[in-house]
Amino acid sequence: MIEKLDISNFGSFDGFRWDTDVREPHGAVGRFKKLNILFGRNYSGKTTLSRIFRSFEVGQTPSRYDNPSFQIKTANGQWTQAQLNVQGAPIRVYNKDFVEANLTFLRDDQGHIQPFAVLGAQNNEVEQEIEKVKTQLGSKESDTGLRAAFFKKQTEESNAQTIVTRKTEALNKKLFDKANGKPGGIKHNTLYSNPYYDVRNLNADIAHVQSHQIAALDEAVRIEKISLLTEKPLNDISPLAAFASSIAALNKRVVAIAGEKIQPSAPLQDLLNSAVLANWVRDGRPLHVNRDCCAFCRQPLPADLTETLNNHFNEESEKLQAKIQRFLQDCESERTRIHALGLPERDRFYSSFHAKRDQIEEMLSAAKAGYERALDELSKVARERSDNIFSAHELTEVVPDSDSGIGAALDKGNELIRQSNEHTARIGASQKQLRDELRLSEVAAFVADSGLDEVKADIEQDRQNLEALTKEREELEAEGKKLRAALESLQAQLRDEKRGAERVNRYLGHSLGGTSLRLKAEEEEGKATYRFRIMRGEQEAFNLSEGECSLVAFCYYLARLDDVQTHGTKPIIYIDDPISSLDSNHIFFIFTLIESFIAKRLVGSDGTELKDAAGKPVYRYEQLFISTHNLDFLKYLKRLTTPEQVERFLVSRKAESSSISLMPKYLKSYITELNYLFAEIHTCTDDANSAASYHSFYNFGNNLRKFLEAFLFFKYPSGTVNNDKRLQLFFGDDVGAVAFLSRLTNEHSHLEEYVDRGMVPIDCAEIARTAKFVLGAMKAKDPEQYQHFLSSINAGDPLAA
């Protein structure tokens, strides 16, 4: 019996882990049972799930799925996408792929209906051969025949693979520890100075040691070689950046500043005579705006003072002041750049270079000081002009155009760096050979001490044993395919296509079906084969309605459960959404077919229920799965004859992947869509739920519209009241709120008139506010009913403080 499944990559499922998502409220992992009901909205992943089961039925995955990866876990082992032909248990799946493969006529008048046969007249000789082949095939459950031998060999192969993997991992760990391990790994041994050493390097060294028959060095020789590594090479030093002097450009700017001529519109002589007084007045001007007395002496200010000062400090003088401030800031930036110049630290040079390095550093320091003095002179001229803004001076140059020797000092520093790096290269070349010899000596000792050759030989022996077991398993699998082909050939001798069509008609003509459709088997002219036609009365039927297509397809599937391949077995049955386009009468008809011909317990010829050896009822199926998106059909499924073990699941879309979980209590316990819609609105009261339940937010407009239509109709059932009036009655005189609800339910339910809304993300915060508004109105109008709604979905009050 199938218990659970993991889906790493298949259709809408990506990284689904059963043990993570399928949990009871108390934390226990749920499992598939004898009967399993799955509910999910359209595009939630139900059909994708059915295709996994159908892959085991037909022996291959759908071609349009790239790199499928899934694992079905049973009570006796597991099946993967690599074992589609060997699971043993017959599986019969009804889904859209089944319909497309067998009933292309339903979507194309030029298509066909795949004929099938049930057992015909008795043929003892052929039946004895069939039983003989079945005995040869045997079963894993009864521990007989080829299937049992296959699974035993598969177990031996798996155990052998485990041994090879364990020993290989142990060897790889030993190699990793030697190459990368802390402490003791070659990578972390400063003697070898190789921080990038890894297992690949170690394997290359082992191959080199073995091919050149290198032995471990004598300890005295090893110590002598280590002593030759006394001088440790230093890391290379990057060259210093080139220096470009800015003195010339700054000279040009300050000469222009000093010589720029400006005149006040109405000069004040006292301010012209005293730069200190002028600066004091300039600084005080903004402090006396809108004041009528002096902030310093508290004396009244002349009414025309502001205009008088503005005429003295005109726009030209203010622009020049701003230009001077920018120049002074640039001088400070240049000073900062000069401060940052310097040689690398002494310990980055070899000791023999220290004196030269110090000499160059003194030269550089003196040059930097000269450069800074030049900057001081330039700044001084600018400040003097600032202090006496109306006094221009004709200058040609303030300081000589020079870098004060900085460039020369840096050039000498780069020459010293070049010499140091060359010294490093010479040391590295001589010491590299010593390090290689010492490292290879350690590798040779590791090979000898670890018995590496013996370990590899042992693993190789185990690998050969694994290959032999794999070959034996493949031979058993091939033999099994031959026997299954022989079985199908023998069963074909008992085929009766006419009875196959009659079996379909039996289901189509069920007393509750109410259809005039029937299947007719016609022998093809000149061939020993049949073709099936759909008849309406005596005429071939074309242009079937969607409901009729669904009925024919499902009745055809039921009849196939009695074909020669399935007869006499207890298959795993998977029925995916059989009522996607049916009306309520047909929905009940499909339910009665499932109940009458699949779900009911088997009875004997005397009408009493059959019992197995343990005294339990006998069913037609080994395990039954039924999935649907229709809440009415879900309601009927709760009336099915159920075995002792039943479980119900919810298939949903979470973010970018489908998921399976145990069905919530409200779906298990209640059969009305109103409870479900209330739960969807309740989910949307917290926009944080949008990450895990985005489909609820996306469908909010539809769900809210349907909920309010049903809920308010029962509250205000008068036929003279339309939906808009019911909204007004329930939500009161808040016209804006009613208009907002009408807009949201319409715009979020349709796109033909609101195409732009389909191009922007859903506003989850707005939806959360709306959901709370609706629940708040329900709580205010009828708190008792509101609490019962919450209880029906086993949820807390999102409006509680």
Side-chain angles (χ1 to χ4, degrees):
M1 182 177 292
I2 295 172
E3 295 186 342
K4 51 187 179 178
L5 76 163
D6 292 335
I7 311 173
S8 298
N9 179 36
F10 192 80
S12 61
F13 287 87
D14 182 14
F16 169 72
R17 292 292 177 267
W18 182 279
D19 289 352
T20 300
D21 288 16
V22 187
R23 293 273 182 173
E24 301 279 0
H26 53 77
V29 177
R31 281 176 168 75
F32 286 131
K33 302 294 178 61
K34 181 82 172 178
L35 172 62
N36 304 278
I37 307 298
L38 299 97
F39 175 77
R41 289 297 192 185
N42 288 329
Y43 310 110
S44 61
K46 302 187 303 301
T47 299
T48 299
L49 195 60
S50 72
R51 283 173 174 152
I52 293 177
F53 284 76
R54 181 166 165 79
S55 296
F56 287 99
E57 176 184 1
V58 301
Q60 62 182 17
T61 56
S63 58
R64 55 188 174 274
Y65 289 83
D66 295 330
N67 302 317
S69 177
F70 47 80
Q71 183 182 78
I72 289 181
K73 299 179 181 180
T74 72
N76 300 309
Q78 61 186 30
W79 313 336
T80 71
Q81 72 281 353
Q83 301 167 307
L84 298 179
N85 291 308
V86 298
Q87 81 283 351
I91 299 176
R92 298 295 179 261
V93 176
Y94 175 84
N95 64 5
K96 63 183 299 184
D97 295 344
F98 170 85
V99 176
E100 290 181 359
N102 296 283
L103 298 120
T104 56
F105 176 82
L106 296 181
R107 57 180 172 82
D108 182 1
D109 291 346
Q110 302 303 314
H112 71 286
I113 300 177
Q114 185 70 32
F116 68 94
V118 296
L119 290 179
Q122 187 173 6
N123 186 326
N124 290 334
E125 183 177 346
V126 174
E127 289 175 356
Q128 288 175 4
E129 287 296 319
I130 289 174
E131 289 302 316
K132 181 179 177 181
V133 174
K134 287 184 176 179
T135 300
Q136 288 179 283
L137 281 171
S139 71
K140 177 184 177 183
E141 291 73 16
S142 63
D143 195 23
T144 60
L146 192 65
R147 288 194 176 105
F150 170 82
F151 280 102
K152 287 180 181 177
K153 190 61 64 177
Q154 189 179 49
T155 300
E156 292 178 15
E157 179 188 14
S158 177
N159 292 338
Q161 179 65 66
T162 300
I163 292 172
V164 170
T165 301
R166 176 173 52 80
K167 290 184 177 181
T168 301
E169 288 177 350
L171 174 60
N172 289 340
K173 184 179 185 305
K174 186 179 293 186
L175 293 172
F176 176 85
D177 289 344
K178 187 61 184 176
N180 300 72
K182 286 184 178 182
I186 293 175
K187 173 180 179 178
H188 303 288
N189 192 329
T190 56
L191 184 66
Y192 306 128
S193 189
N194 192 345
Y196 304 107
Y197 196 87
D198 58 18
V199 173
R200 292 172 297 179
N201 302 118
L202 178 59
N203 283 327
D205 282 348
I206 290 172
H208 182 79
V209 164
Q210 291 178 330
S211 64
H212 291 78
Q213 298 181 344
I214 297 175
L217 293 172
D218 181 76
E219 185 63 18
V221 175
R222 181 176 176 276
I223 293 173
E224 181 183 354
K225 289 183 179 292
I226 292 175
S227 67
L228 297 176
L229 299 174
T230 53
E231 187 172 23
K232 181 180 179 182
L234 300 175
N235 292 329
D236 281 353
I237 305 173
S238 300
L240 303 173
F243 176 77
S245 172
S246 299
I247 294 297
L250 293 174
N251 253 324
K252 184 176 180 181
R253 289 173 62 187
V254 80
V255 166
I257 287 171
E260 185 172 343
K261 297 179 180 179
I262 58 174
Q263 291 292 335
S265 302
L268 299 174
Q269 192 60 42
D270 288 342
L271 300 186
L272 293 177
N273 294 338
S274 175
V276 174
L277 180 61
N279 289 333
W280 181 74
V281 173
R282 181 187 298 109
D283 293 338
R285 285 173 63 207
L287 301 176
H288 288 75
V289 175
N290 299 324
R291 290 182 64 97
D292 55 6
C293 67
C294 177
F296 177 67
C297 66
R298 300 296 180 181
Q299 295 299 315
L301 297 174
D304 61 347
L305 179 62
T306 299
E307 181 179 358
T308 301
L309 294 178
N310 286 342
N311 289 332
H312 181 83
F313 297 106
N314 57 15
E315 183 178 358
E316 289 184 359
S317 67
E318 294 304 309
K319 286 184 177 179
L320 182 55
Q321 286 287 2
K323 187 186 298 185
I324 292 171
Q325 293 307 312
R326 287 195 298 272
F327 177 82
L328 292 173
Q329 290 171 3
D330 291 344
C331 286
E332 285 304 311
S333 298
E334 185 68 5
R335 193 185 309 277
T336 301
R337 181 170 77 103
I338 296 303
H339 285 168
L341 296 176
L343 297 178
E345 294 79 3
R346 291 178 95 245
D347 59 4
R348 298 192 63 189
F349 292 90
Y350 295 99
S351 58
S352 59
F353 295 121
H354 284 179
K356 183 66 173 176
R357 184 255 177 211
D358 293 345
Q359 187 180 33
I360 296 173
E361 186 172 49
E362 290 179 6
M363 176 182 174
L364 179 60
S365 296
K368 288 166 59 178
Y371 198 92
E372 290 191 57
R373 285 193 296 272
L375 292 174
D376 290 341
E377 290 298 322
L378 294 169
S379 300
K380 179 182 177 182
V381 172
R383 290 192 185 94
E384 288 176 349
R385 181 60 196 267
S386 176
D387 291 342
N388 199 347
I389 197 67
F390 297 108
S391 179
H393 298 281
E394 295 295 335
L395 300 174
T396 57
E397 185 179 67
V398 177
V399 294
D401 180 10
S402 170
D403 62 8
S404 302
I406 293 177
L410 293 178
D411 289 343
K412 289 182 179 295
N414 276 328
E415 175 60 22
L416 187 66
I417 289 172
R418 184 187 64 77
Q419 294 173 7
S420 178
N421 290 342
E422 288 179 353
H423 189 67
T424 299
R426 287 193 296 271
I427 294 176
S430 62
Q431 291 186 344
K432 182 180 183 304
Q433 182 178 354
L434 290 173
R435 289 194 175 90
D436 289 345
E437 292 176 3
L438 290 167
R439 187 187 72 253
L440 292 174
S441 170
E442 182 171 344
V443 171
F446 167 73
V447 171
D449 296 342
S450 63
L452 195 62
D453 291 338
E454 292 79 4
V455 172
K456 287 184 176 180
D458 183 43
I459 293 175
E460 181 58 30
Q461 181 63 44
D462 289 335
R463 186 173 285 110
Q464 291 177 6
N465 179 50
L466 172 61
E467 291 174 355
L469 290 171
T470 300
K471 183 177 179 181
E472 293 171 10
R473 190 262 303 162
E474 290 173 346
E475 290 173 352
L476 287 172
E477 186 174 354
E479 181 63 22
K481 289 180 179 179
K482 290 180 182 179
L483 286 175
R484 286 198 301 275
L487 180 63
E488 291 179 3
S489 177
L490 289 168
Q491 289 173 331
Q493 297 178 39
L494 301 178
R495 295 170 66 93
D496 188 338
E497 279 86 355
K498 287 185 178 180
R499 291 184 65 189
E502 291 171 1
R503 189 63 57 92
V504 176
N505 294 335
R506 172 191 173 192
Y507 299 128
L508 283 172
H510 193 274
S511 60
L512 297 177
T515 178
S516 61
L517 297 174
R518 64 186 178 87
L519 242 63
K520 181 179 181 182
E522 294 182 346
E523 189 170 2
E524 295 190 274
E525 186 175 350
K527 300 180 181 179
T529 57
Y530 285 79
R531 61 175 297 182
F532 284 0
R533 297 180 183 272
I534 299 180
M535 311 296 291
R536 195 189 304 274
E538 297 302 319
Q539 301 295 322
E540 186 168 3
F542 295 97
N543 301 318
L544 274 65
S545 69
E546 288 190 19
E548 289 175 325
C549 288
S550 296
L551 283 173
V552 171
F554 191 71
C555 290
Y556 176 89
Y557 169 76
L558 282 179
R560 288 296 294 261
L561 293 178
D562 291 315
D563 65 14
V564 292
Q565 286 80 24
T566 315
H567 180 77
T569 68
K570 291 181 66 175
I572 295 172
I573 296 176
Y574 196 115
I575 301 172
D576 175 47
D577 239 348
I579 44 78
S580 58
S581 59
L582 303 179
D583 61 29
S584 59
N585 291 331
H586 286 150
I587 289 174
F588 186 73
F589 175 46
I590 292 294
F591 164 73
T592 59
L593 289 176
I594 294 174
E595 167 65 13
S596 301
F597 300 109
I598 295 179
K600 271 189 174 181
R601 301 179 181 94
L602 297 181
V603 297
S605 56
D606 59 355
T608 60
E609 286 188 357
L610 297 177
K611 304 288 184 180
D612 61 14
K616 295 182 178 181
V618 177
Y619 295 88
R620 175 176 185 174
Y621 55 87
E622 174 67 21
Q623 200 169 6
L624 177 59
F625 298 81
I626 305 175
S627 67
T628 183
H629 76 286
N630 187 285
L631 286 168
D632 286 336
F633 189 57
L634 181 66
K635 172 184 66 176
Y636 290 131
L637 291 179
K638 295 179 181 181
R639 305 180 188 176
L640 278 179
T641 299
T642 57
E644 291 181 1
Q645 295 184 325
V646 182
E647 191 56 273
R648 295 172 175 84
F649 300 88
L650 182 67
V651 183
S652 57
R653 195 71 177 263
K654 294 182 178 179
E656 299 300 321
S657 175
S658 294
S659 178
I660 305 170
S661 59
L662 294 175
M663 189 177 288
K665 179 182 177 182
Y666 69 88
L667 275 179
K668 285 185 178 180
S669 305
Y670 290 86
I671 58 177
T672 68
E673 188 171 7
L674 198 63
N675 298 93
Y676 174 79
L677 293 171
F678 180 80
E680 291 290 281
I681 296 169
H682 182 279
T683 297
C684 293
T685 57
D686 185 354
D687 57 0
N689 293 332
S690 61
S693 303
Y694 189 75
H695 62 286
S696 299
F697 284 80
Y698 184 81
N699 292 322
F700 180 77
N702 276 321
N703 292 337
L704 180 62
R705 176 176 55 80
K706 290 192 288 185
F707 177 78
L708 290 177
E709 286 176 356
F711 175 71
L712 296 181
F713 175 79
F714 283 105
K715 191 166 186 67
Y716 309 110
S718 171
T720 62
V721 180
N722 59 26
N723 287 333
D724 290 340
K725 182 62 177 177
R726 291 188 180 103
L727 288 172
Q728 294 174 5
L729 289 171
F730 187 73
F731 292 104
D733 297 329
D734 190 345
V735 178
V738 172
F740 176 76
L741 286 173
S742 298
R743 180 188 69 81
L744 188 142
T745 54
N746 276 283
E747 291 185 12
H748 285 251
S749 299
H750 310 285
L751 277 182
E752 69 271 14
E753 297 178 10
Y754 311 100
V755 177
D756 57 331
R757 191 196 64 74
M759 301 178 184
V760 297
I762 297 295
D763 189 342
C764 297
E766 179 186 49
I767 288 175
R769 289 193 297 271
T770 305
K772 287 183 178 179
F773 173 73
V774 172
L775 298 193
M778 292 177 63
K779 184 175 182 180
K781 288 278 187 178
D782 192 339
E784 183 179 14
Q785 182 191 40
Y786 176 71
Q787 289 301 324
H788 279 278
F789 262 111
L790 292 174
S791 178
S792 75
I793 65 171
N794 194 29
D797 185 357
L799 307 178

